[in-house]
């Protein structure tokens, strides 16, 4: 039997064009500002949340995801010759997986340019993949009293100053203080930084992390990078629930409106989880609610009835050190 819309408070049929017109005419900033209010509340609720790494500082994961669009319908978002796309650049607070910052651009916007928009918080950690390596920008993070953790590129030219002892049974291979050697790089990043080499015991893949933090244990640096898989889960949910192929409206305003509405829903569910002290993971709750959208029942009953139907991905294993 087809579900009745009045279970969601909608008592009549709403056409697609009506929703599209609303998204076209209402300024997307209204929804962005509403999301920021929710984000501020969620951050307070999750301030002491454990995310698997023993560290007192605020830790952010910075990454982007590309949403493919049809060029004929979204010409303002040109990406390649015959393709359109938008990018969601996201700074995710790993305590609670709450998005601290979201910037929506066309697909051509280079990831590293987002660093120009961030105001680093002193003492905070910014975990990024190697696509964000730009030593002039990384030095701004350093000068602001914040810390970065990223993967080093294979062609990184630097000189070792000295090495620290490591426990190789943990997967660590080396912990070094290094300096850049290319004059142009030295000019924009003149101080030493740290390079930690790590061998993943499960995949046998080797990684080299670079950071300006000189005091944390080397294994914690590797663990911090591992924790960035949470931003991949956030992107996965956004893509699954935005209904990308059926955007309501094709203008830049309409797309940004729908994205910010989806973010608001995500953060609202995070707030509900904490306030009601629900033990299920945030992503399980989101999946259950997507199945029970038209069901009129208490949230705890919905979780008990539908949770067994959810097949949870071994996301941490799949996304280990991507």
């Amino acid at each position: 039997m087809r579900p009745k819309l009045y279970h969601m408070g909608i008592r009549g049929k709403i056409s697609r064009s009506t929703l599209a017109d609303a998204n076209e005419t209402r300024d997307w900033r209204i929804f962005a500002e509403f999301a920021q209010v929710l984000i501020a509340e969620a951050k307070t609720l999750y301030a002491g949340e454990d995310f698997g790494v023993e560290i007192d500082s605020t830790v952010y994961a910075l990454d982007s995801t590309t949403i493919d669009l049809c060029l004929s319908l979204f010409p303002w978002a040109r990406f390649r010759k015959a393709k359109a796309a938008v990018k969601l650049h996201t700074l995710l607070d790993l305590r609670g997986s709450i998005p601290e910052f979201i910037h929506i651009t066309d697909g051509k916007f280079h990831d590293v340019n987002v660093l120009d928009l961030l105001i680093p918080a002193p003492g905070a950690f910014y975990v990024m993949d190697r696509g964000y390596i730009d030593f002039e920008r990384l030095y701004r993070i350093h000068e602001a009293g914040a810390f970065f953790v990223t993967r080093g590129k294979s062609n990184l030219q630097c000189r070792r100053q000295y090495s620290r002892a490591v426990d190789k049974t943990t997967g660590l291979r080396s912990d070094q203080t290094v300096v850049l050697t290319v004059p142009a790089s030295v000019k924009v990043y003149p101080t030493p930084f740290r390079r930690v080499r790590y061998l993943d015991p499960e995949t046998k893949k080797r990684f080299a992390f670079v950071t300006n933090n000189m005091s944390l244990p080397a294994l914690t640096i590797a663990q911090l990078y591992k924790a960035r898989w949470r931003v991949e889960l956030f992107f996965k949910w956004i893509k699954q629930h935005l209904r990308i192929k059926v955007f309501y409206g094709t203008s830049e305003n309409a797309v940004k409106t729908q994205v910010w509405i989806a973010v608001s829903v995500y953060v609202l569910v995070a707030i509900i989880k904490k306030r009601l002290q629900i033990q299920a993971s945030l992503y399980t709750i989101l999946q259950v609610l997507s199945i029970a959208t038209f069901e009129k029942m208490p949230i705890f009953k919905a979780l008990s009835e539908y949770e067994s139907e959810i097949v949870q991905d071994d996301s941490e294993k799949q996304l280990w050190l991507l």
Side-chain angles (χ1 to χ4, degrees), residues 186-204:
V186 174
K187 183 177 179 180
V188 297
Y189 200 107
T191 61
F193 57 94
R194 192 174 175 190
R195 180 174 61 184
V196 174
R197 287 197 173 101
Y198 181 82
L199 173 65
D200 179 11
E202 294 184 11
T203 65
K204 304 305 178 183

Side-chain angles (χ1 to χ4, degrees), residues 65 113 252 255 320:
T65 189
N113 293 330
E252 182 176 0
V255 171
W320 165 233

Side-chain angles (χ1 to χ4, degrees), residues 7-43:
H7 280 165
M8 296 182 68
I10 301 173
R11 299 185 178 278
K13 184 178 179 181
I14 296 180
S15 67
R16 175 187 172 86
S17 61
T18 300
L19 292 175
D21 289 343
N23 283 355
E24 297 280 1
T25 56
R26 295 189 178 119
D27 195 316
W28 65 269
R29 294 175 185 84
I30 297 172
F31 303 97
E33 290 178 6
F34 175 64
Q36 291 301 329
V37 172
L38 296 175
I39 287 169
E41 182 172 348
K43 279 180 65 65

Side-chain angles (χ1 to χ4, degrees), residues 82-152:
K83 188 177 180 181
V86 292
K87 271 188 177 181
L88 268 63
H89 306 268
T90 303
L91 186 69
L92 196 77
D93 188 335
L94 295 185
R95 298 190 190 279
S97 297
I98 305 300
E100 171 88 3
F101 165 90
I102 291 179
H103 185 59
I104 305 168
T105 68
D106 61 36
K108 294 185 295 183
F109 192 89
H110 198 287
D111 289 352
V112 76
N113 293 330
V114 170
L115 293 176
D116 297 332
L117 304 177
L118 297 181
I119 302 175
F125 282 79
Y126 294 84
V127 185
M128 306 164 278
D129 66 24
R130 53 190 164 197
Y132 292 89
I133 289 186
D134 178 286
F135 281 104
E136 183 175 1
R137 292 178 169 96
L138 292 180
Y139 194 63
R140 290 183 206 152
I141 294 176
H142 177 75
E143 287 286 271
F147 304 105
F148 60 82
V149 176
T150 184
R151 283 181 63 183

